[in-house]
Structure formats: structure tokens, C-alpha cells
């Protein structure tokens, strides 16, 4: 058995155990290193298939903690053979972890997608999908990015997807962000807005400590 790693949080006020089960339905607990806490659960030392069930279990732990902590998410499938291997690895990358955690302190990720209607050209005075995409992207990005700390554009993976963006937002600005998005939703009434979050900042940090303890 090894230690499956979900995320990193600040050690301050962190309990030794959390009220959630992780991979293999084992209890989730904290392993401390200096002022950091690695959130783990005991799990077989193996390669975990990134299927929907496993990924949802991985994400569920970070989402549970997000209510009370700043969460530094860690890539899926990282298992350490021993606690000592995990803490020594944290020691080697301590300053990277600390810097990343400071950058996202008290921040969360919010996602915004804008979906065009099927008959968008007929309903919008003959505007092309390219024109609508550019119009939406420009105004949404401009107004929402003023509130956010950082923003990123995602792929437009269907013809009807006009907007696909992620925003890193201070917790105390979530209501301001939501209100601004609501006004944009009213203005662009032909768009179907999908507003998701809060999430751990998956699109703004990419922590891969190691794939497997040896």
C-alpha cells in the first residue's frame, strides 16, 4: 500500500483527518511537511486508470476541502510508496509548492461557456458564427477579466461554442463576478451561458511532483 496524493494545502489549522473517503474508499488524512500539508489516502501502489470514476474521486477530495482551504491541486494518479518518500519529495520542491500556494491563496476557479443557438444566423440578422464568437469573446473577456486575477481561453470544441474561458478569482469577488456575468447574460440573450465553479485552480497550476514512489 502507498500514499495517494490529491492536493496540497497550508498546514495551519489543518486536521490530521478529513470527513471524506478517497480512492479505494479509504479515509483521507494529512501528512505534514513544514508549513504544508499533503492530503492523501492509503491506496494500492499501482497505475490508476484515468477513467471517469477515478477522476471524479480524485476531484471530489479537492472540492470537499475547497470550502475551508486554499487548494493546490495535484495531477491525477500520483502514488508514493512510503510517507517518507512523499515528505522528502515535498522537501525537494518545497519552494515551488510554497510559491504556487501563495499565488492562488484565497482564490478559486470559475468557468464560463457561451453556447450559440442552432439557428444563430437567422436569429441574429445574418451575423456569422465568427462574428458572434468575436463579439462575445471580446466583451466577456474584457469585463470579467477586470474582476479576475487571471484568465485563460479554452478550446472551442464545437461550432456552436462561442466562448470557453476559465477565471482565477478572489473569493471576496465571487459575487461581483457573478453579477457582471448576469448582466452579460441578459445582454446576450441568444447565448446559453454555462457558469461552473467554484473549482480548485486546475487551469492555473499544474503540479506533478512524481508519478510513483520507488
Amino acid at each position: 500500500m502507498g500514499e495517494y496524493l490529491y492536493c496540497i494545502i497550508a498546514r495551519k489549522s489543518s486536521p490530521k483527518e478529513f470527513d471524506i473517503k478517497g480512492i479505494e474508499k479509504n479515509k483521507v488524512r494529512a501528512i505534514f511537511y513544514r508549513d504544508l500539508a499533503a492530503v492523501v489516502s492509503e491506496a494500492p501502489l499501482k497505475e490508476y486508470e484515468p477513467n471517469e470514476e477515478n477522476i471524479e474521486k480524485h476531484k471530489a477530495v479537492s472540492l470537499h476541502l475547497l470550502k475551508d482551504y486554499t487548494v493546490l491541486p495535484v495531477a491525477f494518479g500520483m502514488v508514493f510508496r512510503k510517507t517518507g518518500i512523499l515528505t522528502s519529495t515535498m522537501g525537494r520542491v518545497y519552494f515551488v509548492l510554497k510559491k504556487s500556494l501563495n499565488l492562488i491563496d484565497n482564490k478559486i476557479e470559475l468557468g464560463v461557456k457561451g453556447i450559440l443557438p442552432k439557428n444563430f444566423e437567422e436569429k441574429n440578422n445574418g451575423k456569422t458564427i465568427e462574428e458572434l464568437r468575436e463579439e462575445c469573446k471580446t466583451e466577456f473577456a474584457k469585463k470579467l477579466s477586470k474582476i479576475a486575477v487571471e484568465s485563460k481561453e479554452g478550446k472551442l470544441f464545437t461550432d456552436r461554442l462561442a466562448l470557453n474561458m476559465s477565471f482565477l478569482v478572489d473569493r471576496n469577488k465571487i459575487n461581483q463576478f457573478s453579477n457582471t456575468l448576469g448582466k452579460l447574460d441578459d445582454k446576450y440573450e441568444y447565448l446559453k451561458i454555462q457558469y461552473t465553479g467554484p473549482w480548485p485552480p486546475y487551469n492555473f497550476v499544474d503540479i506533478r511532483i512524481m508519478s510513483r514512489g520507488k
Side-chain angles (χ1 to χ4, degrees):
M1 299 292 283
E3 303 286 6
Y4 184 99
L5 179 62
Y6 300 93
C7 59
I8 304 291
I9 61 175
R11 179 172 183 166
K12 183 180 179 181
S13 301
S14 171
K16 291 184 178 179
E17 294 185 5
F18 301 95
D19 187 24
I20 187 173
K21 297 290 182 68
I23 293 284
E24 306 292 342
K25 298 182 179 180
N26 289 327
K27 63 183 179 182
V28 175
R29 67 190 199 285
I31 293 175
F32 301 123
Y33 178 81
R34 294 177 66 172
D35 56 348
L36 301 178
V39 179
V40 304
S41 67
E42 191 176 59
L45 188 65
K46 66 179 184 179
E47 297 291 338
Y48 283 86
E49 182 182 351
N51 56 38
E52 184 176 355
E53 181 181 2
N54 284 338
I55 290 174
E56 285 304 310
K57 288 179 180 177
H58 176 91
K59 287 186 174 181
V61 173
S62 293
L63 282 172
H64 179 78
L65 295 176
L66 191 63
K67 293 177 289 184
D68 300 307
Y69 303 95
T70 295
V71 173
L72 180 61
V74 171
F76 173 83
M78 294 188 181
V79 191
F80 296 79
R81 186 166 60 87
K82 294 180 180 179
T83 299
I85 294 174
L86 173 55
T87 54
S88 65
T89 304
M90 289 175 70
R92 290 196 298 272
V93 296
Y94 171 78
F95 292 106
V96 174
L97 296 176
K98 185 69 175 176
K99 180 179 179 181
S100 298
L101 198 57
N102 287 339
L103 286 172
I104 63 168
D105 185 39
N106 206 37
K107 299 176 181 67
I108 49 85
E109 180 177 320
L110 299 171
V112 178
K113 289 184 176 68
I115 303 171
L116 293 164
K118 290 182 179 179
N119 301 321
F120 57 89
E121 291 183 348
E122 296 176 11
K123 297 180 180 181
N124 290 280
N125 299 319
K127 287 185 179 180
T128 66
I129 190 168
E130 289 80 12
E131 290 172 329
L132 287 173
R133 277 177 171 171
E134 189 60 32
E135 179 183 324
C136 297
K137 184 177 70 172
T138 299
E139 186 162 12
F140 275 72
K142 180 180 179 181
K143 292 189 175 179
L144 296 176
S145 294
K146 285 182 179 179
I147 303 167
V149 176
E150 190 176 345
S151 63
K152 286 192 175 181
E153 291 186 29
K155 293 181 179 179
L156 300 178
F157 45 81
T158 72
D159 289 340
R160 291 174 58 201
L161 191 59
L163 180 76
N164 182 16
M165 297 191 71
S166 299
F167 299 87
L168 186 65
V169 180
D170 280 312
R171 288 178 186 266
N172 60 7
K173 291 187 177 180
I174 294 176
N175 287 340
Q176 182 184 355
F177 185 95
S178 299
N179 290 337
T180 301
L181 180 60
K183 292 176 182 177
L184 289 168
D185 189 12
D186 291 340
K187 179 177 180 179
Y188 292 89
E189 57 184 17
Y190 58 81
L191 276 181
K192 178 182 178 182
I193 300 297
Q194 291 185 350
Y195 180 31
T196 61
W199 307 106
Y202 295 114
N203 286 299
F204 299 93
V205 291
D206 184 19
I207 301 297
R208 299 175 182 272
I209 298 178
M210 62 187 296
S211 61
R212 198 168 189 174
K214 296 182 180 180

